């Protein structure tokens, strides 16, 4: 299986290794790592817009050495549950190993997961988080999954399958967490975006994947990662999640200075 090389370095984040490490470490600040989550959700825009939200959220948590990395499909390419099954993901900071054994367990779960590279090749939603994960948890391994399922029933089945994989890993003494990549509402004004984001975040913080999925659809909230978030929330609940917290929130207006057209960014962890 070929390795994956950066598609958006130099656009969403700098392709200069020294500058990139410095920027990420600045956003991470003093990492306390007080919380061991089942799931976290992070935004995936350019670092100038969302880096502080990503850093503040990660600074609170302790991640295991392997994570499922789930994000939305912006290109329409690939399969509904596209898994990058092995090899390495490269960033300007070096390589991150794909956890091939965990990926194989996922692919054998019979819930629609397929080995597929097309969905990942030009997709930015997972790539932009990898440098943060590299700096936060050196040696971390990932199972990248692009999610574009469209029904609640399919997302529930896939989430429960991932939970089964994680439970088996945990029983063998290997801990695994879920990292979801999602921005919040897109391109309304600041006031309306914040209103919509509060509506979307409420069921997420109440640990209700059904209401999250329903609210985003019925309220016309353009949360691009609602499908991976719903899937992961089903998995987290299956694994016994009992608490969720909003770690950080902001909008693109802080960087752009334009409150008339913004994107929302939220960092959430679930234990």
């Amino acid at each position: 299986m070929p390795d994956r090389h950066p598609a958006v370095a130099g656009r969403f984040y700098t392709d200069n290794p020294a500058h990139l490490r410095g920027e990420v470490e600045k956003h991470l600040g003093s990492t306390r790592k007080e919380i061991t989550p089942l799931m976290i959700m992070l935004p995936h825009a350019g670092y100038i817009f969302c880096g502080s939200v990503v850093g503040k959220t990660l600074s609170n948590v302790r991640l295991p050495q392997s994570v499922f990395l789930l994000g939305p499909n912006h290109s329409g390419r690939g399969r509904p549950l596209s898994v990058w099954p092995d090899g390495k993901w490269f960033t300007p900071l070096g390589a991150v190993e794909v956890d091939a054994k965990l990926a194989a367990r996922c692919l054998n779960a019979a819930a629609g997961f397929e080995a597929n590279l097309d969905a990942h090749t030009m997709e930015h939603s997972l790539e932009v988080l990898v440098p943060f994960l590299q700096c936060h948890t050196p040696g971390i391994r990932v199972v990248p999954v692009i999610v574009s399922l469209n029904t609640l029933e399919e997302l529930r089945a896939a989430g429960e399958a991932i939970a089964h994989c994680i439970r088996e890993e945990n029983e063998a003494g290997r801990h695994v967490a879920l990292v979801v990549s999602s921005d919040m509402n897109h391109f309304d004004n600041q006031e309306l975006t914040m209103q919509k984001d509060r509506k979307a975040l409420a069921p997420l913080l109440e640990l209700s994947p059904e209401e999250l999925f329903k609210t985003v659809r019925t309220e016309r909230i353009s949360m691009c990662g609602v499908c991976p978030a719903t899937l992961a929330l089903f998995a987290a609940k299956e694994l016994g999640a009992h608490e969720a917290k909003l770690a950080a929130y902001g909008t693109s207006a802080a960087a752009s200075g334009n409150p008339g057209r913004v994107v929302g960014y939220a960092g959430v962890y679930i234990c």
Side-chain angles (χ1 to χ4, degrees):
M1 188 64 63
D3 298 325
R4 186 188 186 278
H5 294 272
V8 296
R11 293 195 289 135
F12 281 72
Y13 59 93
T14 178
D15 56 4
N16 180 295
H19 293 170
L20 176 58
R21 183 173 295 277
E23 184 175 11
V24 170
E25 290 180 348
K26 180 180 178 181
H27 285 308
L28 287 171
S30 299
T31 54
R32 296 177 294 279
K33 298 186 178 181
E34 298 169 341
I35 296 156
T36 302
L38 292 168
M39 167 186 162
I40 62 173
M41 187 179 80
L42 303 168
H44 56 239
Y47 288 5
I48 189 174
F49 298 110
C50 74
S52 62
V53 172
V54 177
K56 185 175 181 180
T57 305
L58 280 173
S59 71
N60 287 303
V61 303
R62 180 185 302 108
L63 291 177
Q65 287 302 121
S66 288
V67 298
F68 279 104
L69 185 55
L70 303 114
N73 189 330
H74 291 92
S75 70
R77 301 171 63 180
R79 303 296 297 159
L81 288 172
S82 292
V83 180
W84 192 288
D86 55 25
K88 298 174 181 173
W89 272 41
F90 284 89
T91 78
L93 300 182
V96 171
E97 293 278 350
V98 174
D99 190 327
K101 290 183 178 180
L102 181 58
R105 191 186 291 279
C106 178
L107 290 167
N108 290 331
F113 295 96
E114 299 179 58
N116 182 278
L117 307 188
D118 289 344
H120 293 273
T121 304
M122 298 304 298
E123 177 59 51
H124 67 276
S125 63
L126 302 185
E127 178 184 326
V128 298
L129 297 183
V130 176
F132 272 93
L133 298 178
Q134 286 175 292
C135 290
H136 179 271
T137 307
I140 196 169
R141 294 175 297 173
V142 299
V143 178
V145 185
I146 293 295
V147 180
S148 56
L149 295 173
N150 286 314
T151 73
L152 197 58
E153 293 74 20
E154 292 173 316
L155 292 165
R156 185 195 307 272
E160 291 175 352
I162 278 191
H164 181 70
C165 294
I166 292 175
R167 187 176 289 113
E168 289 185 333
E169 291 288 307
N170 291 345
E171 289 170 355
R174 296 183 295 270
H175 296 290
V176 178
L178 299 148
V179 178
V180 173
S181 177
S182 180
D183 294 338
M184 299 301 294
N185 191 65
H186 291 61
F187 305 143
D188 287 311
N189 64 44
Q190 175 92 340
E191 181 179 359
L192 183 55
T193 287
M194 294 179 71
Q195 289 176 2
K196 288 185 174 183
D197 286 350
R198 282 193 293 269
K199 289 179 180 179
L201 287 167
L204 179 61
L205 297 174
E206 292 167 3
L207 303 177
S208 177
E210 298 91 346
E211 284 302 311
L212 169 63
F213 188 80
K214 177 183 175 182
T215 298
V216 169
R217 291 291 193 265
T218 58
E219 297 289 338
R220 298 175 182 255
I221 301 167
S222 52
M223 176 184 175
C224 56
V226 62
C227 291
T230 300
L231 186 160
L233 190 52
F234 274 123
K237 286 196 69 178
E238 184 71 15
L239 292 166
H242 64 278
E243 179 184 15
K245 183 173 181 179
L246 180 64
Y249 178 81
T251 76
S252 58
S256 71
N258 178 14
R261 179 179 166 87
V262 307
V263 180
Y265 309 118
V268 174
Y269 53 78
I270 293 172
C271 304

